[in-house]
Amino acid sequence: MEEVKVIGFWASPYVYRVTWALNLKGVEYEYQEEDVFNKSDLLLQYNPVHKKVPVFVHGGKRIAESTVILEYIEETWPQNPLLPTDPHARAMARFWTKFGDDKKPDFFGFFKSAGEEQIKAAKEAQECLKILEEHGLEDKKFFDGDKIGMTDLSLGWLAFWLEAMEGAAGVQVLDVNSFPRLHAWIRNLKEVPVIKENHPDQTRLLAYFKWLREMYTKPATT
Amino acid sequence: MAQVTLFGFWPSPFVYRVIWALKLKGVDYEYVEEDMLYNKSDRLLKYNPVHKKVPVLVHAGKPIAESAVILEYIEETWPQNPLLPKDPHGRALARFWTKFGEDKIPALFGFFMTEGEQQVTATKEGQEQLRILEEQGLGDKKFFGGDEIGMADLEFGWLAWWLEVLSEVAGVKVIEAESFPRLYAWIQRFKEFPTIKETLPDRSAMLTYFKGRRATFLALAAS
């Protein structure tokens, strides 16, 4: 069988999308940890355009960008499909995955800011979350239907990472009263065995985000 | 065959990607022009409540928004004249460069939204991305998709027709034959390709429209 390798970083939700997908499909792979604050020559060689993780290697060929990797994994290992069969439903899965990624600055603004700016940023994040809950998730168990799919993996950062970022930033955006359906979805997601057994340690993640936030909110020195 | 309707706006390169895909595959469709600046229709707001933008493709009554998502749908629903190669790694590369085009829009359009010193910086940033595109995306291929037009060519199609107009309006040269020989050659091939050549917005109408848009952007930036 050809070599399958993931080059990743322990705190990256983008990397987890890929490892979750491989685990859900029962594909064996080798994992290589990368220090993204001290990038290796290998990473720069494997992803010269973006210099980021995850990078996926299969039979010597490299692919970067987590959503591109997910589509590749889905096509190469069709068991336990991550996309629905119906073409319109597939389009919806891709639409919501793109929404989550395109709105990243709006979602994360609150984490990088403080004071008045943070209040405004938190409101913007909540507007995006409201759209996700009311138009994306609606009354479904998972974003793509009854079982976990590509959209759920792409939005998986809401389940583990957001809590740690809220803790580090001292503000709650995803409160259960405003977002009952998203909270129910998070509970369902965390119960899926592959997800339950594969996620970053919360304590370590909180410490990491506290450290990151200090870097972002440190006053600039001239 | 189920009804195919495309909601669009004539100067939009995002809309034209979808038009090109449908034409390359010989799919009949009804086109509905939207007044995106002043009067979006109720139907558009119903079909795309999240972004309220065009293009929106409606097939058998079901709407799809976001041009990259629509292209994947078109590719799966009408497999003739494929826009993606058969081999999985080739497909991944096509998607990678399509995404690169999406993600780098702010950098690539910066020169059009700025003036003075800011414009000089923005133009350089855009050209850095174009350098990556030319050297690593296009390389020595005839098209991004290889010998035939593919999804990534449609993604960058705006470089072949819109960029010249935007450059003229903004008063900067972004791509020239000497500085980007391979992209320049690709531009000539792409806009001469029969289906594409017959399906481009009127250049003088574009000039008028984008002059107005630039004036609006600069006024907003100054306020």
Side-chain angles (χ1 to χ4, degrees):
Chain A
M1 203 193 69
E2 288 180 309
E3 163 213 42
V4 180
K5 187 171 179 174
V6 177
I7 302 176
F9 174 56
W10 72 271
S12 164
Y14 300 95
V15 171
Y16 269 88
R17 291 175 185 178
V18 174
T19 55
W20 283 335
L22 293 168
N23 285 323
L24 284 164
K25 288 171 178 282
V27 177
E28 280 178 18
Y29 62 95
E30 181 200 336
Y31 177 81
Q32 185 171 316
E33 180 71 13
E34 177 73 29
D35 177 2
V36 297
F37 298 99
N38 188 15
K39 292 177 183 178
S40 70
D41 288 339
L42 183 81
L43 179 67
L44 303 179
Q45 187 199 1
Y46 275 20
N47 188 2
V49 174
H50 298 298
K51 307 174 176 55
K52 287 181 178 176
V53 291
V55 177
F56 187 72
V57 187
H58 181 216
K61 296 200 174 156
R62 307 142 196 185
I63 304 163
E65 293 295 280
S66 62
T67 51
V68 175
I69 297 170
L70 287 181
E71 296 269 6
Y72 179 89
I73 289 173
E74 178 70 355
E75 288 178 357
T76 307
W77 296 282
Q79 67 272 25
N80 296 353
L82 297 172
L83 282 174
T85 34
D86 166 70
H88 187 258
R90 290 164 77 84
M92 286 297 99
R94 290 176 172 131
F95 176 90
W96 288 110
T97 295
K98 191 175 198 302
F99 179 88
D101 283 352
D102 290 349
K103 296 292 181 186
K104 188 176 152 195
D106 298 315
F107 277 125
F108 291 140
F110 77 91
F111 176 73
K112 297 185 178 183
S113 52
E116 274 306 309
E117 223 187 284
Q118 191 186 51
I119 295 174
K120 183 163 166 271
K123 278 205 176 76
E124 276 169 18
Q126 287 180 317
E127 271 162 34
C128 290
L129 291 168
K130 188 122 300 271
I131 293 173
L132 261 182
E133 176 158 298
E134 290 177 4
H135 292 272
L137 182 61
E138 296 174 310
D139 292 315
K140 303 188 295 283
K141 184 177 181 191
F142 293 106
F143 274 89
D144 297 335
D146 293 325
K147 54 186 185 73
I148 191 173
M150 194 181 276
T151 314
D152 304 288
L153 300 191
S154 301
L155 292 169
W157 64 270
L158 289 170
F160 299 100
W161 283 259
L162 183 57
E163 211 179 287
M165 292 169 81
E166 286 171 329
V171 57
Q172 189 180 42
V173 289
L174 188 65
D175 63 283
V176 64
N177 291 321
S178 313
F179 302 100
R181 285 180 282 190
L182 277 176
H183 268 262
W185 168 77
I186 287 172
R187 278 196 304 275
N188 287 326
L189 188 71
K190 287 182 172 181
E191 283 305 307
V192 175
V194 158
I195 310 294
K196 195 169 182 168
E197 293 152 22
N198 292 283
H199 58 83
D201 175 72
Q202 285 298 97
T203 314
R204 195 179 174 200
L205 204 57
L206 180 60
Y208 170 74
F209 280 122
K210 276 188 174 142
W211 169 78
L212 250 189
R213 179 167 162 81
E214 258 182 57
M215 278 208 312
Y216 282 129
T217 53
K218 191 161 62 176
T221 46
T222 49
Chain B
M1 198 193 70
Q3 168 81 1
V4 180
T5 307
L6 174 63
F7 289 80
F9 181 45
W10 71 270
S12 162
F14 300 91
V15 169
Y16 268 84
R17 285 173 198 164
V18 177
I19 294 175
W20 291 330
L22 292 168
K23 290 216 155 150
L24 284 165
K25 288 170 177 283
V27 177
D28 282 331
Y29 65 98
E30 176 206 358
Y31 178 80
V32 175
E33 179 72 20
E34 281 286 328
D35 177 359
M36 290 304 288
L37 292 183
Y38 305 112
N39 195 17
K40 293 176 186 178
S41 75
D42 288 339
R43 271 205 297 175
L44 177 68
L45 301 178
K46 180 180 79 158
Y47 284 144
N48 190 3
V50 173
H51 298 298
K52 307 176 176 57
K53 288 181 178 177
V54 290
V56 175
L57 187 79
V58 183
H59 182 214
K62 294 184 180 177
I64 302 158
E66 295 292 280
S67 63
V69 176
I70 296 170
L71 289 183
E72 293 271 5
Y73 178 88
I74 288 173
E75 179 68 358
E76 287 181 2
T77 307
W78 296 282
Q80 67 271 26
N81 297 352
L83 298 171
L84 288 173
K86 280 202 172 63
D87 92 285
H89 188 250
R91 293 163 76 84
L93 283 176
R95 288 177 171 132
F96 176 89
W97 289 107
T98 299
K99 190 170 200 301
F100 180 88
E102 295 285 291
D103 294 346
K104 298 298 179 183
I105 282 169
L108 294 168
F109 276 118
F111 77 92
F112 183 71
M113 321 271 279
T114 48
E115 54 188 342
E117 271 308 306
Q118 269 194 334
Q119 190 185 48
V120 174
T121 312
T123 306
K124 279 205 177 76
E125 274 172 20
Q127 288 173 324
E128 269 165 35
Q129 303 309 317
L130 290 171
R131 181 73 52 212
I132 294 173
L133 185 65
E134 178 175 81
E135 290 177 5
Q136 301 189 45
L138 183 61
D140 291 316
K141 301 195 298 287
K142 185 176 172 189
F143 293 108
F144 283 91
D147 291 324
E148 306 288 337
I149 282 183
M151 197 177 271
D153 298 278
L154 301 190
E155 173 70 29
F156 290 109
W158 69 273
L159 293 174
W161 189 248
W162 279 255
L163 182 59
E164 211 182 283
V165 170
L166 298 177
S167 299
E168 190 177 321
V169 167
V172 294
K173 286 196 186 334
V174 182
I175 289 181
E176 288 177 287
E178 303 81 49
S179 49
F180 293 96
R182 285 178 283 189
L183 268 180
Y184 188 81
W186 169 83
I187 284 171
Q188 311 315 314
R189 281 193 290 274
F190 185 81
K191 64 182 183 188
E192 283 303 310
F193 192 86
T195 310
I196 306 295
K197 192 171 181 167
E198 313 158 346
T199 317
L200 291 169
D202 175 71
R203 203 180 180 282
S204 61
M206 279 170 74
L207 263 174
T208 310
Y209 172 79
F210 282 111
K211 274 193 179 121
R213 293 310 288 153
R214 178 163 162 83
T216 306
F217 289 140
L218 293 178
L220 271 172
S223 62

